[in-house]
């Protein structure tokens, strides 16, 4: 065979591969698996979550003809081999739709066995396309339920005996898990705003939680998976509170004043052990409190933070809180506790000033070039007790005239 014939033969083989049965290379893939429009959510306050997914296929005009959903309390039950799954105990298999002839893939309502509060569940879905092919199972996704109603809350609202002129309170609770922890979830509402800490680390990535509501009607709580933050031996919760929109007592600049009561907190930790048992750690009279480093808090007028008031390791194991006060168990503001479903406020971007210059009076101005919602972050060196004032504003020439905070 000549070189020319060899080349033509290669092209002929390529043509067969390209023009042949494309279904050999086709694959339907399930993507964007979601529950109530969120990815692996924690704290779903519903017994009938809505399951959704999308499809990607290498062949155009592919559509879903049928789906099959499985929901279980353990990932082992989500087996691609239906016969193998049938041979095993189905005690942990909560819902198997079987093949449902439908092209729907958005917000399929859960209709399996009743879900328990504050519990983790696993689910997966497979589909059959219009070519009669079955997709591989989606990777197991998860969701964690919240607390469905008032009876699920074992925690009590707690507060500190203080006045609006006192520093903001901080709270502390030491606890000792008795066994090997499998997973753990905490549900918390701190009014007006809170920062939750566990063993010296901030829990979650959100800020200024909870959202603003009429606190006499609704109080929003958030939920977090804290399994990775727990350790062997002593564990410690720490909580800082700020006034937020809950308690606007005035000072500096305000648009209104009003209060729903003194700052307060409710929190409940659910610990699941490897042996199948469960333990609850909740806010009650055993928690301790003290005046914290936030000495002024106003949602409009800003915040004063006294770093000399920080007690080292106050939110970590080994700290002696014997001099702290006992908390007060109090009534809530009246609102029903509901899961916060809105996306949290998080840090989206870290900006650096476009220009920094020093004024004749020794003050500095940092120009970021545009307006944005953010928090200043500064690194300081100086003598203890020194005061640093940071003021923000939209107009550079008016920042130091007292018009902007």
């Amino acid at each position: 065979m000549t070189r020319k014939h060899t080349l033509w033969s290669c092209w002929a083989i390529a043509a067969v591969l390209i023009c042949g049965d494309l279904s050999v290379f086709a694959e339907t893939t399930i993507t964007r698996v979601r529950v109530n429009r969120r990815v692996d959510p924690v704290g779903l306050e519903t017994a009938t979550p809505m399951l959704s997914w999308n499809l990607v296929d290498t062949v155009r005009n592919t559509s879903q003809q049928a789906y099959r959903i499985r929901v279980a309390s353990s990932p082992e039950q989500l087996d691609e081999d239906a016969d193998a799954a049938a041979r095993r105990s189905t005690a942990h298999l909560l819902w198997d739709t079987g093949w449902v002839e439908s092209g729907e893939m958005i917000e399929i309502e859960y209709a399996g066995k009743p879900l328990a509060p504050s519990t983790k569940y696993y689910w997966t879905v497979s589909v059959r396309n219009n070519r009669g092919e079955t997709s591989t199972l989606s990777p197991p996704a998860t969701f964690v339920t919240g607390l469905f109603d008032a009876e699920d809350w074992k925690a009590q609202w707690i507060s500190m005996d203080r006045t609006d002129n006192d520093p903001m309170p901080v709270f502390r609770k030491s606890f000792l898990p008795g066994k090997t922890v499998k997973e753990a979830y905490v549900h918390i509402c701190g009014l007006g705003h809170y920062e939750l800490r566990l063993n010296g680390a901030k829990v979650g990535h959100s800020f200024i939680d909870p959202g603003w509501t009429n606190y006499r009607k609704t109080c929003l709580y958030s939920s977090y998976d804290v399994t990775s933050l727990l350790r062997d031996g002593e564990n410690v919760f720490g909580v800082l509170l700020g006034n937020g929109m809950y308690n606007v007592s005035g000072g500096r600049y305000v648009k209104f004043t009003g209060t729903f009561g003194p700052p307060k907190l409710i929190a409940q930790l659910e610990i699941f052990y490897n042996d199948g048992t469960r333990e609850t750690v909740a806010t009650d009279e055993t928690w301790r409190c003290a005046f914290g480093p936030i000495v002024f808090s106003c949602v409009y007028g800003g915040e004063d933070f006294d770093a000399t008031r920080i007690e080292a390791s106050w939110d970590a194991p080994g700290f002696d809180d014997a001099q702290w006060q006992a908390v007060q168990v109090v009534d809530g503001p009246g609102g029903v506790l509901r899961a916060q479903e809105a996306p949290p406020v998080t840090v989206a971007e870290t900006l650096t000033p476009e220009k920094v210059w020093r004024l004749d009076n020794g003050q500095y101005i940092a120009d970021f070039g545009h307006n944005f919602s953010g928090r200043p972050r500064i690194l300081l060196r100086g003598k203890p007790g020194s005061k640093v004032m940071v003021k923000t504003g939209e107009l550079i020439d008016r920042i130091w005239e007292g018009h902007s905070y």
Side-chain angles (χ1 to χ4, degrees):
M1 182 180 292
T2 65
R3 175 179 175 81
K4 182 177 180 180
H5 288 153
T6 302
L7 290 174
W8 276 112
S9 298
C10 293
W11 278 112
I13 295 172
V16 170
L17 290 174
I18 294 173
C19 300
D21 184 4
L22 288 176
S23 65
V24 174
F25 305 98
E27 182 178 3
T28 300
T29 304
I30 299 171
T31 64
R32 299 191 65 223
V33 176
R34 310 174 300 287
V35 181
N36 285 26
R37 305 182 184 182
R38 296 156 60 190
V39 176
D40 296 337
V42 177
L44 289 181
E45 192 186 68
T46 175
T48 55
M50 310 295 282
L51 313 180
S52 305
W53 61 90
N54 290 91
L55 300 182
V56 173
D57 200 287
T58 53
V59 176
R60 299 181 65 180
N61 298 321
T62 296
S63 62
Q64 174 184 296
Q65 297 297 104
Y67 66 81
R68 183 178 186 182
I69 298 172
R70 295 186 186 91
V71 179
S73 57
S74 68
E76 292 76 20
Q77 293 297 323
L78 304 179
D79 197 310
E80 187 173 9
D81 185 342
D83 293 332
R87 287 194 297 269
R88 290 198 307 268
S89 168
T90 59
H92 298 286
L93 187 61
L94 300 169
W95 193 35
D96 186 345
T97 64
W99 284 106
V100 177
E101 297 294 325
S102 172
E104 293 293 326
M105 61 183 73
I106 303 298
E107 298 192 343
I108 307 300
E109 183 175 306
Y110 174 81
K113 297 177 183 178
L115 302 178
S118 195
T119 302
K120 188 173 187 176
Y121 295 98
Y122 303 80
W123 73 285
T124 190
V125 59
S126 55
V127 304
R128 186 177 296 141
N129 64 28
N130 55 336
R131 301 189 302 274
E133 300 163 346
T134 301
S135 72
T136 57
L137 280 176
S138 63
T142 64
F143 62 91
V144 178
T145 52
L147 301 175
F148 296 149
D149 49 48
E151 287 70 29
D152 296 328
W153 283 94
K154 311 305 179 187
Q156 298 171 288
W157 286 97
I158 60 174
S159 186
M160 182 183 185
D161 184 13
R162 57 178 291 278
T163 70
D164 278 336
N165 294 323
D166 290 325
M168 297 301 299
V170 293
F171 299 83
R172 186 177 190 277
K173 172 64 176 179
S174 173
F175 60 98
L176 189 69
K179 308 173 187 178
T180 303
V181 175
K182 177 183 178 182
E183 54 202 32
Y185 310 102
V186 63
H187 314 280
I188 178 171
C189 175
L191 301 174
H193 296 310
Y194 70 88
E195 180 176 306
L196 174 63
R197 304 184 66 80
L198 179 55
N199 295 328
K202 184 181 184 304
V203 176
H205 303 289
S206 60
F207 293 89
I208 59 174
D209 274 347
W212 184 17
T213 60
N214 181 340
Y215 304 101
R216 293 190 181 94
K217 294 183 178 180
T218 305
C219 297
L220 301 177
Y221 72 89
S222 298
S223 302
Y224 305 94
D225 184 339
V226 294
T227 308
S228 63
L229 294 178
L230 292 179
R231 61 177 66 176
D232 293 335
E234 183 188 13
N235 287 260
V236 174
F237 272 128
V239 182
L240 301 91
L241 291 185
N243 282 318
M245 290 291 192
Y246 178 80
N247 182 39
V248 186
S249 57
R252 297 176 183 160
Y253 164 73
V254 293
K255 291 184 177 180
F256 67 86
T257 59
T259 181
F260 290 85
K264 57 193 61 175
L265 158 73
I266 189 169
Q268 184 164 314
L269 171 69
E270 302 288 353
I271 305 175
F272 296 82
Y273 295 111
N274 278 340
D275 64 1
T277 59
R278 178 172 179 168
E279 181 181 2
T280 299
V281 178
T283 47
D284 57 17
E285 70 281 355
T286 64
W287 285 54
R288 308 286 288 175
C289 61
F291 294 127
I294 302 174
V295 297
F296 177 80
S297 171
C298 180
V299 71
Y300 293 111
E303 178 180 288
D304 292 351
F305 188 92
D306 186 351
T308 65
R309 298 182 60 85
I310 300 175
E311 297 186 76
S313 301
W314 71 273
D315 55 354
F319 178 81
D320 183 3
D321 62 8
Q323 301 303 312
W324 284 35
Q325 302 178 26
V327 301
Q328 293 183 325
V329 175
V330 298
D331 293 331
V336 176
L337 283 162
R338 301 296 304 272
Q340 180 165 295
E341 296 184 353
V345 176
T346 60
V347 175
E349 186 178 2
T350 300
L351 304 176
T352 56
E354 293 184 358
K355 182 181 179 182
V356 178
W357 65 95
R358 189 176 188 273
L359 304 180
D360 293 339
N361 59 9
Q363 298 170 339
Y364 290 84
I365 291 181
D367 182 5
F368 287 86
H370 61 279
N371 291 345
F372 61 93
S373 296
R375 306 188 311 160
R377 186 175 67 183
I378 57 177
L379 180 64
L380 300 172
R381 267 200 308 262
K383 297 179 180 179
S386 299
K387 294 184 178 180
V388 176
M389 179 183 290
V390 179
K391 300 176 69 176
T392 60
E394 298 180 356
L395 302 176
I396 292 175
D397 58 351
R398 301 186 69 188
I399 287 179
W400 300 109
E401 296 177 10
H403 297 288
S404 299
Y405 269 94

